[in-house]
Amino acid sequence: MNHFVDVILPLPLPTRFTYQVRKEEIGDLKKGMRVAVPFGKTKVYTGITANIHQEAPKIYKAKFIEQILDDKPIVTQTQLKFWKWLSSYYMCAEGDILKAALPGAFLLESETVVELNTKTDIDEEGLTDEEYLVYEALQNQSVIKIKEISNLLGKKNVLKILQKLVAKNVAVVSQELYKQYKPKLIRYIKLAELYHKEEELQQLLETLNKAPKQSSVVLTLFSLLAKSKKPISVKQLIKESEASAAIIKTLVDKGVLDEYYLQKDRTDTQQQVEKFQVNLNENQQQAYAEINENFQTNKVTLLHGITSSGKTEIYIQLIKDVISQGKQVLYLLPEIALTTQLISRLQQYFGEDVLVFHSKYSLNERVEVYQHVLEQTKGKIVIGARSSIFLPFQDLGLIIVDESHETTFKQYDPAPRYHARDASVVLSNITKANLLLGSATPSLESYFNAQHHKYGLVSLNRRYGNVLPPQVELVDVKEKYKKKLMKGRFSDTLLEEMKITLSEGKQVILFQNRRGFSPILECNTCGHSPQCPNCDVSLTYHKHNNSLRCHYCGYHIAMQLQCIACKSTEVTTKGFGTEQIETELKSLFPNHKIGRMDLDTTRGKHGYEKIITAFEQQEIDILIGTQMLTKGLDFRNVDLVGVMSADSLLNFPDFRAHERSFHMLVQVAGRAGRTKQRGKVLIQTYNPNHQILQQVTTNSYLEMYKEQLQERQNYKYPPFYRLIKLTFKAKDFNAVNEASSWFAKGLAQGLKENVLGPEFPPVARIRNEYYKNIIIKIPPEHSISKTKEFIEKVRKTYDSVGSFKKVRLILNVDPY
Ligand code: ADP
Ligand code: ZN
Ligand code: ZN
């Protein structure tokens, strides 16, 4: 009897491929192991065995696997199940998922490039002859292809040797190496304990009389401490006292001053939590109890807790419970919210038990994390971005999706185009883990599920420490312009509040959601911006042909030099970037430190961390930034948040624009007044009567939810209708048109009026390729899986048409 194995290859293939297994190997082979298999004429790939059986494939002759690469499975049965679900729900290849799920270093193939591992000492004695040969070659050449190693050893298959070399720290697979982020340490200075007493201090000053420079330093430190409660950095003291570093050193050596280092704001000792002890307050206790009640029946639970209500502390308690049962925890966060802030907060409690899985910086390399999770050797708690749902958990007890409303949980490109929040619902089902979705502003979909009792709902309506939620005020910019009370982009109200806040030694955050310049024409007198007559969007200014265009239906008119509504000639292109605001700020507040956080300033590997750290350490007084600022940051000294213009958010042409504006504004407002004092938020806008802004002011999530839900129902959007987007893409304009029209016709035969388009997207050409979209709306009474089957059927015919070969078809399920 012959033995066969179905292998998932790391390629976008529609099916698994079947290979034959040699008799002597069958005993060693298990599901979830890596095997080296031939594919095509010359290539060798690493694949994962998914099924072992005795049935020969019918339409081709199975080739033999070349080698078994593992002694035990590296992919669990749970993962295989999960992958299968993902591939069928998101209509993508299992191979796409395999590539997303396994660290690149696991998937050696003939084209992979390796290099010498220079990070560790190599134990040459421990190498076999073959391994030593490769080691020598690596020393002479900086990088080598696996193929070349094959030639070198005169062997066809060297993947196993390579793997050994990687395991023995000799070779590394060339890919970005993740470096550890080390937060910057700041040197601070204070008066030595001894001189806190009046008498001793008096004496000290007398003795210092003979050393005027030293005396001046001590007196300056005194006046600084009197002015502000902030810690005084050595840098600041040198600047203010005009003393040299040497004099300060003398004072430190004498024991008059004490130096100390801070990595972040840990100065507020009252806030410092005892290790392993969470003291939940009454509200938190109750929420915690309710969550557990839901968990008893394995119900997915939504924790709706306003900003700064102390959700994180509840997570910590839940995590503690789960790991004490020996189970694993997955804590999912949007990539950008994975800051050292949160990580160190968790490490404070769980120390070594925390593993970080993150694309930008990772305390451990991805392979290591993968192995630790698989073998449960280290780190029961994985905190990571969306791709950490692919880790090989063995005994998952709890999944937390924090900031669960965040859109970055959805992967747009490449396939698999999955949503980590939705996928984690399935993962929790397969693993029997509990799932908690947390947010101050849940997505409409999640809240809808909670309202319909699909999810449990737990609410936290008070901030921790009973600090009042920030006071939100709208500033009517139209009015301000009329009364000439604007200075650049700043209203007198905002400037006034900023001055007060800064004079109290507090910090200010300014939020502006656009980098660069947004090209929407707007009248300074009446605020009107030209709208498309066919669609509910503002026309966009196109400079190159001096026109105003609709990105949805193609409508366009010539650029207007006069306002259509009031005939005023005071029209400007609205939208101003963070950069412009920074420039204005510098002249308005020349004596304050100003920082800017947007994609441009955070490009470097740790750019983001650096700005956050500087702001935490109060080296920056005013921080201006884009929506990056909204991601769950916990700053203690911010009393004022200013939103420069809410209008651009609201006018964004997307069915979720209003919901998202609400999320963003509430989240950014939540950065104000997180401790002790009530914070203030000022939102500048042309439309102070806009319902969303009203709802932000009164923090009326429920009202927003009801209103937006009604709109979704009226216009046939989720959560009522489901969406699938098909994108056609090619260099050849006509081919895109033909292919998409053909497909739309095919779909319409079965799906009728629920097929919309094909239509060009707002940006119809990217990198010289044309795009055209079809949207399928699935009515609530239709079966989602039947619809998908029908799409697949049309695709099959489509794939057989030769002239469509040059057009790429991308399927996106839940494309939002
Ligand atoms: P959220 O995640 O809901 O925005 P956080 O968990 O960040 O809120 O809590 C806000 C602040 O209150 C944090 O600085 C946190 O340290 C503090 N805090 C919350 N709960 C507690 C608690 N039980 N004991 C001590 N401090 C707490
Ligand atoms: Zn006007
Ligand atoms: Zn239009």
Side-chain angles (χ1 to χ4, degrees), residues 270-273 277-281 284 305-315 331 342 345 349 402-403 440 460 463-465 632-636 667 670-671 674-675:
Q270 285 162 334
Q271 291 293 331
Q272 212 159 17
V273 209
Q277 189 160 350
V278 197
N279 289 313
L280 300 180
N281 70 16
Q284 289 170 320
I306 61 170
T307 54
S308 205
S309 55
K311 294 185 288 297
T312 318
E313 306 292 322
I314 297 179
Y315 302 151
Y331 187 148
L342 183 84
R345 204 163 146 191
Y349 284 96
D402 194 6
E403 312 287 347
L460 257 182
R463 286 192 147 192
Y464 181 75
L633 294 165
D634 188 21
F635 298 120
R636 284 156 186 275
Q667 293 284 351
R671 299 314 116 209
R674 289 175 71 85
T675 45

Side-chain angles (χ1 to χ4, degrees), residues 85-115:
W85 178 84
L86 284 165
S87 109
S88 99
Y89 185 84
Y90 290 107
M91 305 180 81
C92 64
E94 277 186 295
D96 288 329
I97 297 166
L98 169 63
K99 269 170 60 180
L102 293 190
F106 277 157
L107 295 174
L108 304 177
E109 53 179 278
S110 37
E111 298 293 320
T112 304
V113 171
V114 293
E115 58 190 311

